């Protein structure tokens, strides 16, 4: 079933299908709504710039929201190989659960583990460290911990709870 409302800027090419295949290889198979999101999130204009430099998902099903964002993070980590990815959630438990889910999917796939240097599990310092130095950090937004945390690629899970004081001056989504 197509979403009631879906606005995705035009793009000349997308890595959405490649990211969907990657997620399927992790056993995390996207449904049609998630594929639409991935096409838009990884769409590029003819000049090479992102067709949608930021995006928002509003949906009744959690799998459309957080799972689509998690699939986006897998694409950034393994396909576009972003230097730094920040996963930020309103609740600590949300960031922890996302980290644990991604870790579980990665750990059981030797091809993925060859790219990972290690997982950091310390409270307040959850991250996936890749062998080439790239990393994905998982954090909770608080007024004291949220400011100043920015990255070229940032996911604000539970974004409806985000407040202006949670963002640093140069936060990019």
């Amino acid at each position: 079933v197509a979403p009631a409302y879906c606005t995705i800027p035009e793009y000349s090419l997308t890595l959405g299908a490649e990211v969907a295949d990657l997620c399927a290889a992790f056993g995390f198979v996207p449904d049609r709504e998630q594929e639409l999101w991935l096409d838009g999130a990884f769409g590029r204009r003819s000049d090479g710039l992102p067709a949608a430099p930021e995006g928002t998902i509003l949906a009744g099903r959690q799998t459309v929201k957080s799972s689509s964002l998690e699939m986006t993070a897998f694409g950034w980590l393994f396909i576009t190989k972003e230097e730094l990815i920040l996963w930020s959630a309103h609740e600590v438990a949300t960031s922890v659960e996302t980290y644990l889910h991604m870790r579980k999917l990665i750990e059981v796939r030797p091809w993925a583990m060859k790219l990972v240097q290690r997982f950091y599990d310390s409270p307040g310092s959850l991250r996936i460290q890749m062998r080439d130095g790239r990393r994905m950090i998982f954090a909770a937004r608080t007024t004291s911990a949220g400011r100043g945390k920015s990255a070229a690629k940032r996911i604000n899970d539970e974004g409806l709870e985000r407040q202006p004081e949670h963002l640093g001056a140069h936060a990019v989504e």
Side-chain angles (χ1 to χ4, degrees):
V1 176
Y5 301 96
C6 181
T7 303
I8 298 173
E10 288 189 35
Y11 52 83
S12 59
L13 66 96
T14 182
L15 297 174
E18 189 175 345
V19 175
D21 289 345
L22 169 75
C23 292
F26 277 115
F28 195 30
V29 181
D31 60 24
R32 184 60 196 129
E33 290 89 352
Q34 293 162 332
E35 289 175 348
L36 282 171
W37 169 264
L38 293 173
D39 284 344
F42 290 91
R44 294 279 183 192
R45 302 182 324 201
S46 59
D47 62 5
L49 294 173
E54 61 183 38
T56 300
I57 302 173
L58 299 173
R61 287 187 10 246
Q62 190 65 21
T63 56
V64 175
K65 297 181 296 241
S66 292
S67 294
S68 296
L69 297 175
E70 195 171 331
M71 291 176 186
T72 302
F74 271 122
W76 288 342
L77 199 57
F78 288 93
I79 293 180
T80 62
K81 299 185 177 180
E82 303 299 332
E83 189 68 29
L84 176 62
I85 304 162
L86 175 62
W87 183 285
S88 173
H90 181 67
E91 298 287 333
V92 172
T94 304
S95 284
V96 170
E97 290 303 318
T98 300
Y99 166 79
L100 292 173
H101 184 243
M102 291 183 73
R103 179 177 176 161
K104 179 177 140 186
L105 293 176
I106 292 169
E107 283 182 320
V108 296
R109 285 162 182 88
W111 57 268
M113 282 302 296
K114 287 180 182 176
L115 301 171
V116 174
Q117 180 177 345
R118 73 179 275 203
F119 297 97
Y120 289 84
D121 293 338
S122 311
S125 184
L126 298 176
R127 84 173 181 256
I128 300 170
Q129 181 74 43
M130 306 302 279
R131 291 191 187 277
D132 62 5
R134 296 176 302 105
R135 62 206 183 284
M136 182 168 175
I137 299 169
F138 299 81
R141 288 186 300 275
T142 63
T143 54
S144 62
R147 285 192 69 76
K149 287 194 184 333
S150 63
K153 297 296 183 181
R154 179 183 178 127
I155 293 176
N156 289 311
D157 196 2
E158 303 172 329
L160 293 173
E161 300 291 338
R162 191 180 70 194
Q163 302 296 316
E165 62 268 17
H166 295 148
L167 298 177
H170 300 289
V172 177
E173 298 181 52

